[in-house]
Amino acid sequence: MLPPGSTIGILGGGQLGRMMAVAALQLGYRVVGFAPEGDNVAADACSGFITAEWDDAAALGQFAAACDVVTWEFENVPVSTVAALPEPLLACPVRALEVAQDRLREKAFAAELGGVPAPYRAVESAEDLAAAIAAVGTPGILKTARDGYDGKGQWRVRSVVEAGTAVFPGVTCIYEGFVTYETEFSVILVRGADGEVRFWDSTANLHEGGMLAQSILPAGALVEAQVPAARELAARVAEALGYVGVLTLEFFATREGPVFNEMAPRVHNSGHWTIEGAATSQFENHIRAICELPLGGTKTRFASIEMRNIVGEDALKAHMILAEPGEPHLHLYGKAEAREGRKMGHVTRVGHALK
């Protein structure tokens, strides 16, 4: 176990790192962050924050010297950055990033473990794209194999006519067939260094413009029926990776069963409700796991829960939410610029408490 007063290093400076740092402070740890120049809101909750490029060897050395354990807050931290750190500092093997950063590798990895992804093809050229569209059909979606998130790096191909005009963006991509589904849902687990796994309840997730807008519990009968199979896959993924911490897998709930969409080796937007709504939040349990502390309970505390993201300029009037009914719990991330499509915070509403 990592004793109180030890220092946790977090790679990345966004809101997930900020909420992880708050959880770490509550458990008596110091936090040092590391990220390139930007709106690093995690710094507000850190004892120290190093602003440097991911390949700055001297800065990484300074960061490593200050830390007793290192984790990351998003999956696009360069693998080379993590691999440059002393291996004993890493709470989780770098392989988790290697798999999650490449959508082609991620799909194949999940399929090898028994998961069912949407039909897909690799795309390296305009000719590959035409062949993929012919094989998979339309509608479909073209995604960059790396670096996309929240709807970025994605292009819908709705028809054969659009297929004829689809333009290859010049980087390795994946073309996926559309899945007919009732809703999307997440399986979020925490795995300790000893292999113990605990799951939170799965929310139904509603998206707008490719970005998560709302997560709801209860998730509905179809999702609840598919959670056991989805959890089995998630547990196999965590074990195969030797994963430690919070891991998220996203699924489509279809009439034929859960279809694997993607994984995120980190705390997740669809788990923000756990701060107020679960016995232990995803952020606290992530810190517990990487510090080898006993894991906390994941039981849902309320009969109904809704988490909604606050995006763009809606944040400017977000404090008005506090006057609304439904016991709103407001979280603003301290970002300086309320740009369109930018996650600025979230609000969670809970129903009556469960006994």
Side-chain angles (χ1 to χ4, degrees):
M1 294 184 184
L2 201 63
S6 300
T7 299
I8 297 170
I10 298 178
L11 295 166
Q15 65 264 22
L16 299 180
R18 179 187 179 103
M19 288 183 274
M20 287 163 55
V22 170
L25 292 172
Q26 291 174 337
L27 291 172
Y29 296 113
R30 298 177 71 255
V31 178
V32 172
F34 185 104
E37 187 72 37
D39 198 357
N40 290 316
V41 296
D44 293 342
C46 292
S47 304
F49 198 94
I50 297 172
T51 303
E53 294 302 314
W54 293 121
D55 60 355
D56 187 326
L60 280 173
Q62 178 188 353
F63 174 72
C67 298
D68 296 295
V69 67
V70 172
T71 188
W72 52 76
E73 62 120 20
F74 75 122
E75 64 270 40
N76 289 326
V77 175
V79 167
S80 58
T81 297
V82 181
L85 296 170
E87 189 172 347
L89 285 182
L90 301 180
C92 186
V94 70
R95 187 178 177 218
L97 289 181
E98 292 172 337
V99 172
Q101 286 182 2
D102 188 308
R103 286 190 169 99
L104 290 163
R105 186 170 183 179
E106 178 184 67
K107 301 278 189 189
F109 183 75
E112 288 171 4
L113 295 173
V116 179
Y120 71 94
R121 294 290 189 278
V123 175
E124 297 278 0
S125 65
E127 293 75 20
D128 284 350
L129 177 56
I133 290 170
V136 175
T138 58
I141 186 164
L142 179 68
K143 303 177 181 179
T144 56
R146 304 178 68 90
D147 295 332
Y149 65 97
D150 284 346
K152 299 175 178 66
Q154 301 185 14
W155 302 270
R156 291 194 176 191
V157 180
R158 296 178 177 84
S159 66
V160 174
V161 173
E162 282 193 8
T165 60
V167 177
F168 174 62
V171 295
T172 300
C173 290
I174 180 172
Y175 180 75
E176 299 178 21
F178 270 12
V179 175
T180 301
Y181 62 93
E182 296 293 321
T183 190
E184 297 180 50
F185 70 98
S186 303
V187 170
I188 304 179
L189 64 79
V190 60
R191 185 175 186 269
D194 61 356
E196 180 185 3
V197 174
R198 297 188 179 190
F199 296 92
W200 285 271
D201 284 337
S202 289
T203 58
N205 298 327
L206 307 179
H207 290 74
E208 296 174 2
M211 180 189 296
L212 180 68
Q214 188 178 21
S215 293
I216 300 170
L217 281 173
L222 184 63
V223 169
E224 290 170 3
Q226 296 186 12
V227 162
R231 284 184 175 184
E232 286 183 12
L233 175 62
R236 288 195 293 270
V237 167
E239 183 176 3
L241 293 173
Y243 195 84
V244 176
V246 170
L247 172 71
T248 307
L249 271 68
E250 296 180 62
F251 295 87
F252 301 112
T254 78
R255 292 298 174 185
E256 291 73 40
V259 172
F260 170 77
N261 182 25
E262 60 187 22
M263 61 177 277
R266 55 171 170 81
V267 291
H268 196 260
N269 193 175
S270 65
H272 289 357
W273 65 270
T274 62
I275 298 173
E276 289 83 24
T280 310
S281 78
Q282 63 168 347
F283 302 101
E284 180 176 335
N285 254 343
H286 184 79
I287 298 301
R288 289 193 189 202
I290 67 171
C291 295
E292 300 186 18
L293 303 178
L295 298 181
T298 53
K299 183 178 179 180
T300 300
R301 299 174 55 226
F302 299 93
S304 63
I305 298 173
E306 180 220 10
M307 187 286 301
R308 179 176 287 277
N309 280 325
I310 298 169
V311 180
E313 292 188 355
D314 287 349
L316 302 179
K317 55 182 183 293
H319 284 156
M320 296 173 64
I321 293 171
L322 297 175
E324 296 176 0
E327 299 190 19
H329 298 270
L330 179 63
H331 298 259
L332 293 177
Y333 305 147
K335 295 182 179 180
E337 184 181 356
R339 296 195 303 267
E340 182 179 353
R342 192 182 196 200
K343 293 176 185 173
M344 302 296 293
H346 72 269
V347 59
T348 302
R349 293 178 173 85
V350 300
H352 69 265
L354 293 171
K355 295 181 179 180

